[in-house]
Each structure stands twice: as structure tokens, then as C-alpha cells.
Amino acid sequence: MKKLKFILIGFVGLLVFYGIRQEFRALPTIMAVEPLGDGSEWAPTELRVLVRHGYFSPEFKEEAEARLGVAFKISYYFSEDQCWSLLESDESWDLMLVPDRIALRLDHLKRTYDINYERIPNHHNLMVSLPAQSEMGSLLRCSVPLFFTAVGIGYDTRFVGSIPMTWKALFQPANAGFMRGHLGLLNEPRRCLGIALIALGLSPNTTHPGEIKQAAEHVKQFLSLIPAMDRSAESVHGGAEFLAQETARQKIFLTMITSAAISRAMVANPGLRFSSPVDGTLLCIDALVIPRNTQNRIMAEATINFLLQPRISALLTNVSGFATTNEAATAYFDPQLYHGPAFAFPTGKQFYYLQDLGEAEALYQAAWSDLMAYYQDQVVPVIDRELGFDRTFLESNDYKP
């Protein structure tokens, strides 16, 4: 009888062990090597990554490679135009961190995989407010948002007496004579013209030629006040870094700028402030995308999951200054950065995401080219002769005469 009892106990134990083993095997994993489409397997040795300059530090790269067991081959871009030029080249990548509207453009062209969030368990760390935005639906399907920044007005309280509450305070300053030569403007077509459209009460995603022309005229009038712009071919986020530098040096008193850039300038110049105009602003997101021509989708998903670890997301934010969408990373942020404008998500105000407009993008590029030709012919000579700004003549990848 005892022997039968032991046999029954052993049999039940085997059943329990088998059940646990099967349940464990059913859990989603991101590190297992799965067959590719042709049934073969990929041995991870190298991951080709496309990323905006300034996001991945050498220290991060070293830690990520050690933790993931992969060698990163990183290609960097500066402007959005340069990013798209690379994407139209013969080069290919396994993982890309690109602007939101480029991610959407790639999705429209069927060049990306939909994100399998079951294989990225750390996605639960993302801001809960992101899915609540209707515009985020397509972006969340084809990419994982990682960084965000808002476009607003940066100003020096020593020279600007009141908070600039609307875009009119920038485009039509009350003390225009005093401000002449001490204003700043982003040099990226969609962002700059998008803000002008918002200031006019129009959509920054309009495809109406007349409205885009109206916005260009609005910017052209502002150019008569001799604003500073970045001329570098390494113009990141529309030249926001240059504008932050000149604002910190008290060369610029009032400027269109990103919240990320002004937050770093405030370290050097505590008198600086940032305002999100009540008439609306732009929220810009850089998102992780897995292209369909990836050679290592499994490792790309593992890398996304790694980037969404709280400490890693905070490391990237503390180095780059760009706010992460990872809400679980709060404890690891630089306190000064976290409590500054970098994390100024414009809640309670009208804000927009720039959408991919397909063929209508050419309308913005054409309007911008005309504006920059005017800037070169009429504004730059005055800057060179009278003001002595460095790096203000626009020669970036965003300028295509």
C-alpha cells in the first residue's frame, strides 16, 4: 500500500512539474532566438542602429553591448532632412530612433513592423497619457515613443518684462525696435511654419497651399526683425541648441525653442524661462522603429525593452537633456532637469503632433526655400555687418534652395 502511495505522489508531482514547465514556456520572452521568415536562425553579433546625434553616449553604448551581448553599429543624423536622406539611401538598419512623422511616413510606405508589445514587457513604463491622445494611435502601433520635447518661447527675464503668453509676443513683439537683432527662430520647415500656422489660428498639418503661403508671409515679416538662426550642417532639432547657447550668452532675448534646449541653457543663465503659448504648440516625439528589412528583429525588440528600463531611460535623458516617456524613471532623473521645462508636457493647452503629409510635404519645403533665399539675401548681410552673430547664416540640411 505504501509503495502505491509513493507511486501516486510521484505521478502527481510529475504532472505539476510538467504543467509549470509548460506555463513557463508560454510566457513571452524577448531574448530567445526565433526562426526568421525562411526558417533559418540568426546568431546575434551586430545590431545596426540609426539614431539622432546626442542621444547615445559612449558609456551607454558600452553598457548596452555588455548587457545585451551585441555589438552596436551606430549611424547618426542631425536634421530630419538628413535622417530621411539616409533612409532613402541603400543603407539599412535593424533599429531606428526617428522623429514621429518620419516613423509614420515609413509606416505608410509599409516599411516597418507593427510593434509586438508582448515581447517588450517594459512598455508598461510608458506614460499613461500617451494612449489617451487619439493622434498617438498609429504611432504607438508602428513605433515605441522614447523622447519628447515641446516647442515654445524661451526668454530672458532681464530683457523681457512679462511672460510671453501667445505667439504674437514673438512674431510681433511690442518693443520691436529694442528686440531687433535679439530674437531667434528654429530653422526646420515643418516646425517653424507649423508654429506660424498655429499663431494664425490654423492647423500645423494643413495641406492647403494658400494657408501655407499665409504662414510663410507671417514668418517673412518676422525676418525683418533680424532673428538669429543656426547655419550649421549639424543643426539638431531645428537649431535649438544654437539658440539655447546664444540665449544663455544674452545674445538672444526672445526665441522660438524646444523645452529640452532651454532647460540646459537655464543651467548657465538662471534668468531664462520657458513659456507654452496658450494659442497652442507642437509636441515632438522621437520613436523607436523596427524596419521590415531588419536582420535581427528579436534583438531589436530586446534593445527596445532594455531602453525602457527606468535607469537606462533616465541615463539617456540626463545625458541628452530630452525628456523620456518612461514614467518609471523618475527616481533616476537629474532633479534640476526633471523640475525644469524639459518635462513641460503642455497639458491643459492645445498641442499638436506633426503628421506625415505625403506629397504635401513639398509645399512646406518650397515655402521654406523661398523664405531662406530671402533670409540669405536680405537678412544675413545685416547680421554680418551690424550684429556679429556666429553661425547665423543658414546652411543646414534643412535648407534646400
Side-chain angles (χ1 to χ4, degrees):
M1 193 69 181
K2 285 186 177 180
K3 185 180 292 185
L4 179 61
K5 184 177 180 180
F6 280 121
I7 292 173
L8 287 172
I9 291 174
F11 180 73
V12 171
L14 285 172
L15 286 176
V16 171
F17 174 78
Y18 179 77
I20 293 175
R21 182 171 179 267
Q22 290 299 104
E23 187 172 337
F24 176 79
R25 289 177 62 186
L27 293 173
T29 175
I30 62 167
M31 294 303 293
V33 177
E34 292 188 349
L36 297 176
D38 59 0
S40 62
E41 289 189 346
W42 174 261
T45 55
E46 180 179 82
L47 195 75
R48 302 162 303 162
V49 181
L50 177 66
V51 63
R52 193 189 294 271
H53 179 78
Y55 279 158
F56 288 0
S57 66
E59 294 76 16
F60 160 78
K61 181 175 180 292
E62 181 179 353
E63 179 175 352
E65 289 181 332
R67 295 274 298 277
L68 293 168
V70 65
F72 284 143
K73 181 181 179 182
I74 303 178
S75 300
Y76 296 99
Y77 65 90
F78 291 93
S79 70
E80 294 189 11
D81 278 1
Q82 185 184 18
C83 176
W84 185 247
S85 294
L86 287 170
L87 291 171
E88 288 188 312
S89 70
D90 294 332
E91 294 187 66
S92 59
W93 294 272
D94 303 304
L95 180 64
M96 306 183 296
L97 180 54
V98 298
D100 44 10
R101 64 190 181 93
I102 288 184
L104 291 171
R105 187 184 308 175
L106 293 170
D107 177 56
H108 294 159
L109 295 172
K110 310 296 184 185
R111 290 176 57 180
T112 63
Y113 281 113
D114 283 357
I115 299 299
N116 184 350
Y117 283 98
E118 288 187 358
R119 300 186 62 83
I120 306 172
N122 284 335
H123 80 270
H124 294 295
N125 294 334
L126 290 173
M127 296 171 65
V128 295
S129 58
L130 290 178
Q133 305 300 326
S134 58
E135 297 90 343
M136 293 296 294
S138 296
L139 189 67
L140 285 167
R141 176 179 49 75
C142 70
S143 69
V144 178
L146 185 61
F147 294 111
F148 72 90
T149 189
V151 178
I153 299 176
Y155 63 102
D156 193 323
T157 54
R158 297 173 182 84
F159 305 103
V160 180
S162 59
I163 299 174
M165 299 296 293
T166 68
W167 286 109
K168 183 178 179 180
L170 175 68
F171 285 112
Q172 299 171 328
N175 49 350
F178 173 72
M179 287 292 179
R180 184 176 181 273
H182 298 288
L183 300 163
L185 194 67
L186 292 174
N187 69 11
E188 202 280 320
R190 282 297 308 278
R191 291 184 185 180
C192 186
L193 291 173
I195 290 297
L197 286 162
I198 292 173
L200 293 168
L202 302 170
S203 169
N205 293 305
T206 182
T207 58
H208 192 286
E211 293 179 347
I212 297 171
K213 183 178 180 180
Q214 187 180 353
E217 285 297 321
H218 199 59
V219 174
K220 187 175 182 179
Q221 292 178 13
F222 178 68
L223 292 179
S224 66
L225 297 176
I226 320 298
M229 303 174 85
D230 190 355
R231 65 166 182 148
S232 168
E234 300 178 354
S235 174
V236 180
H237 279 286
E241 298 304 314
F242 164 72
L243 296 174
Q245 173 188 321
E246 295 300 292
T247 306
R249 295 173 56 202
Q250 298 184 20
K251 295 286 188 178
I252 295 177
F253 306 157
L254 190 69
T255 182
M256 183 189 299
I257 199 168
T258 63
S259 55
I262 196 69
S263 67
R264 290 191 292 279
M266 289 172 66
V267 176
N269 184 347
L272 299 182
R273 296 292 184 271
F274 180 77
S275 171
S276 293
V278 295
D279 35 357
T281 188
L282 296 175
L283 192 65
C284 307
I285 290 178
D286 280 357
L288 293 155
V289 171
I290 302 176
R292 285 193 175 273
N293 61 354
T294 179
Q295 294 179 337
N296 200 342
R297 182 179 180 182
I298 302 303
M299 185 53 69
E301 291 171 332
T303 302
I304 294 175
N305 197 61
F306 176 76
L307 291 169
L308 291 180
Q309 291 183 16
R311 186 182 65 81
I312 299 302
S313 292
L315 171 65
L316 297 176
T317 286
N318 292 338
V319 170
S320 71
F322 286 86
T324 177
T325 57
N326 189 338
E327 287 187 323
T330 306
Y332 302 97
F333 290 140
D334 177 334
Q336 187 172 5
L337 184 68
Y338 181 59
H339 295 292
F343 283 84
F345 198 90
T347 53
K349 298 179 181 179
Q350 180 67 53
F351 64 91
Y352 304 85
Y353 299 102
L354 290 177
Q355 301 295 314
D356 172 46
L357 302 179
E359 294 181 357
E361 294 279 348
L363 297 174
Y364 287 86
Q365 288 290 348
W368 191 252
S369 292
D370 291 342
L371 279 172
M372 292 304 101
Y374 173 81
Y375 185 79
Q376 176 180 345
D377 295 339
Q378 303 296 325
V379 179
V380 169
V382 179
I383 291 175
D384 291 344
R385 183 175 65 251
E386 299 179 11
L387 302 177
F389 276 108
D390 297 326
R391 296 172 58 205
T392 48
F393 176 57
L394 189 64
E395 295 175 347
S396 78
N397 290 304
D398 293 324
Y399 174 39
K400 296 182 178 179

